[in-house]
Amino acid sequence: MLEITNDIGDIRFSRNVILRIVDDAVETCDGRVTVYNFKGRYKSVMPGHDGVTYLETPEGVDITVYVVIDFGASIRENCGRISAYINENVERVMGERPHNVRIVVTGVQSIEIAKRNIVFNSNPEMDRNQG
C-alpha cells in the first residue's frame, strides 16, 4: 500500500503520511486521547510515534494505534472517531482503504495512568479471528 504503481509511474508514501493522519485523527478528540504505548511497570510510558505501527498484508494494510484516554472519556466514541478518520483519510490520500484499523487503549489517565488493554477493531472480522 505504501508503494502504488499506475500508468504514470510509481508512487511511494512515507511512513510519515500515516503518522500525520493518526495525529490529525487524535486531535479530533479534543485532547482527551494521546498516542502512547504504555509498557507496564518498569518501562513506564513511551510517548510519541512508538504508539503507531502498520503492517502490509495481502488483504491490505493493518494500522495499530496505541492510546491513553482520559478518565471519563467514552472509549467507544473516541476509538470510533479515530478509526473512522484514519479509514477515510488513508483512502482519500492513498486511494485504498486499510484492511483494519486497530485502536488499543493501553491506559486510562486520571492522576496516574491505570494500565488497560482494550482493543477496538474497525474490521469486525478481526474480532472473530482473535477469539
Side-chain angles (χ1 to χ4, degrees):
M1 177 169 188
L2 296 177
E3 294 183 22
I4 299 172
T5 304
N6 61 19
D7 298 340
I8 301 171
D10 294 337
I11 302 170
R12 290 186 180 86
F13 295 99
S14 128
R15 181 176 193 266
N16 292 333
V17 172
I18 292 176
L19 297 178
R20 179 59 196 211
I21 291 170
V22 169
D23 285 344
D24 291 346
V26 169
E27 285 179 14
T28 66
C29 296
D30 302 322
R32 302 201 83 185
V33 178
T34 309
V35 175
Y36 273 115
N37 193 357
F38 188 72
K39 297 285 188 178
R41 187 172 186 182
Y42 297 108
K43 285 188 172 180
S44 63
V45 178
M46 305 300 292
H49 295 297
D50 289 346
V52 179
T53 62
Y54 65 90
L55 175 65
E56 290 191 66
T57 65
E59 296 86 20
V61 70
D62 291 339
I63 300 170
T64 303
V65 182
Y66 298 91
V67 298
V68 170
I69 294 184
D70 286 350
F71 180 78
S74 170
I75 292 173
R76 178 176 291 190
E77 177 185 324
N78 286 297
C79 288
R81 180 180 296 149
I82 292 169
S83 178
Y85 187 95
I86 292 171
N87 275 311
E88 291 168 11
N89 285 284
V90 166
E91 183 176 20
R92 185 174 54 81
V93 171
M94 298 183 174
E96 186 178 330
R97 197 167 186 85
H99 175 248
N100 186 41
V101 175
R102 184 173 167 215
I103 311 298
V104 180
V105 179
T106 60
V108 175
Q109 174 77 50
S110 63
I111 295 172
E112 293 186 14
I113 297 176
K115 187 175 178 182
R116 298 286 183 264
N117 186 22
I118 303 167
V119 179
F120 179 91
N121 284 308
S122 67
N123 183 348
E125 292 205 10
M126 297 302 289
D127 290 330
R128 284 188 283 260
N129 292 338
Q130 289 177 355

